[in-house]
């Protein structure tokens, strides 16, 4: 199929792009196009104006500091995946990107575009949510920062206003003595996950778990974050450091998700996957945390 007719805009500066968005109601932004182009071709989206931001060089950036990783709107998945300094500061970002579709998709798709698409089955929204990250939005009216907990409103629905452009996303750095892990289950490699989990475990100076949380994809209308500190405390009571039993955390998570059934999997199976993936991911994140302090 072919898309409905639209007027094509190719701005060369951010101000020019924001000007088009301000003037043309309902305009869509094209960056990587890995989600938008199929929607256009199937006529599930039919904007009158398409704003191609690929010539706005100032958005093609990755800034790494001890605070975290700031990813510009044109940074491709592959570039972020291969950025060693970004993986050092926040390893969960690389771990999750490796599960995004296939290399040919990651070569064109953008990290910020995935967030703006707001698909609850996608990997990066769950990562941003569990890390407590932020999205920076800009319009002709000015700029604002939107916390991850407020950014995702529903399936394919974000808090961006029609005239706003997501220009960057900030992924906070992992605290000291923190391990991360990302696991998902899909019918085939590269398919959308039936369920997935992004896990973080932080140890205190005595190598006891001081923080544990997980972000889930594929089991709700938006990414779901569950604090697992309570079951983690119970899991390590009376046990030597590093010998946690995460089965209680798995049960804790299963009770707090409310997935829906669809043609790919029913709700009970997705809930089962949440438990299995939680136990495995928290165990892997714990092992990574101990490895980091050796």
């Amino acid at each position: 199929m072919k898309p409905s007719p639209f007027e094509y805009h190719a701005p060369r500066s951010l101000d020019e792009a924001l000007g088009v968005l301000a003037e043309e109601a309902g305009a869509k932004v094209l960056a990587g196009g890995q989600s938008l182009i199929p929607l256009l071709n199937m006529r599930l989206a039919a904007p009158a104006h398409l704003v191609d931001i690929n010539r706005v060089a100032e958005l093609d950036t990755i800034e790494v500091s001890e605070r975290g990783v700031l990813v510009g709107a044109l940074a491709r998945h592959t570039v972020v995946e291969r950025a060693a300094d970004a993986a050092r500061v926040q390893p969960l970002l690389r771990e999750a990107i490796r599960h995004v579709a296939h290399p040919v998709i990651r070569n064109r798709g953008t990290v910020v575009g995935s967030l703006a698409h707001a698909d609850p089955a996608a990997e990066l929204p769950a990562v941003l949510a569990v890390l407590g990250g932020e999205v920076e939005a800009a319009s002709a009216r000015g700029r604002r920062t939107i916390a991850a907990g407020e950014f995702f409103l529903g399936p394919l629905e974000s808090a961006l206003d029609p005239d706003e452009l997501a220009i960057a996303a900030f992924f906070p750095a992992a605290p000291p003595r923190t391990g991360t892990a990302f696991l998902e289950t899909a019918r085939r490699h590269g398919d959308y996950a039936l369920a997935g989990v992004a896990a973080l475990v932080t140890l205190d100076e005595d190598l006891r778990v001081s923080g544990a949380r997980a972000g889930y994809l594929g089991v709700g209308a938006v990414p779901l974050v569950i604090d697992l500190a309570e079951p983690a405390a119970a899991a390590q009571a009376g046990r030597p450091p590093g010998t946690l039993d995460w089965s209680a955390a798995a049960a804790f998570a299963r009770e707090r998700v409310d997935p829906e059934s669809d043609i790919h999997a029913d709700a009970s199976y997705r809930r089962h996957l949440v438990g299995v993936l939680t136990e495995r991911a928290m165990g892997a994140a714990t092992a990574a945390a101990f490895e980091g302090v050796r």
Side-chain angles (χ1 to χ4, degrees), residues 68-86:
V69 183
L70 183 67
V71 180
L74 285 181
R76 313 294 171 178
H77 287 112
T78 296
V79 176
V80 179
E81 177 186 359
R82 294 175 178 173
D85 51 350

Side-chain angles (χ1 to χ4, degrees), residues 111-126:
V111 168
V112 176
S114 178
L115 299 173
H117 189 53
D119 192 326
E123 292 81 2
L124 291 172

Side-chain angles (χ1 to χ4, degrees), residues 131-149:
L131 295 177
E134 301 170 335
V135 173
E136 185 177 351
S139 70
R141 297 174 285 112
R143 299 192 181 194
R144 63 175 177 139
T145 298
I146 310 171

Side-chain angles (χ1 to χ4, degrees), residues 42-56:
M42 291 185 288
R43 301 203 174 191
L44 297 175
H49 297 267
L50 189 66
V51 185
D52 183 346
I53 63 171
N54 280 281
R55 294 169 180 79
V56 184

Side-chain angles (χ1 to χ4, degrees), residues 68-69 85-94 131 171-175 180 200:
V69 183
D85 51 350
R88 174 184 59 82
V89 170
Q90 184 42 264
L92 187 58
L93 192 52
R94 172 183 283 178
L131 295 177
F171 297 85
T180 63
L200 296 94

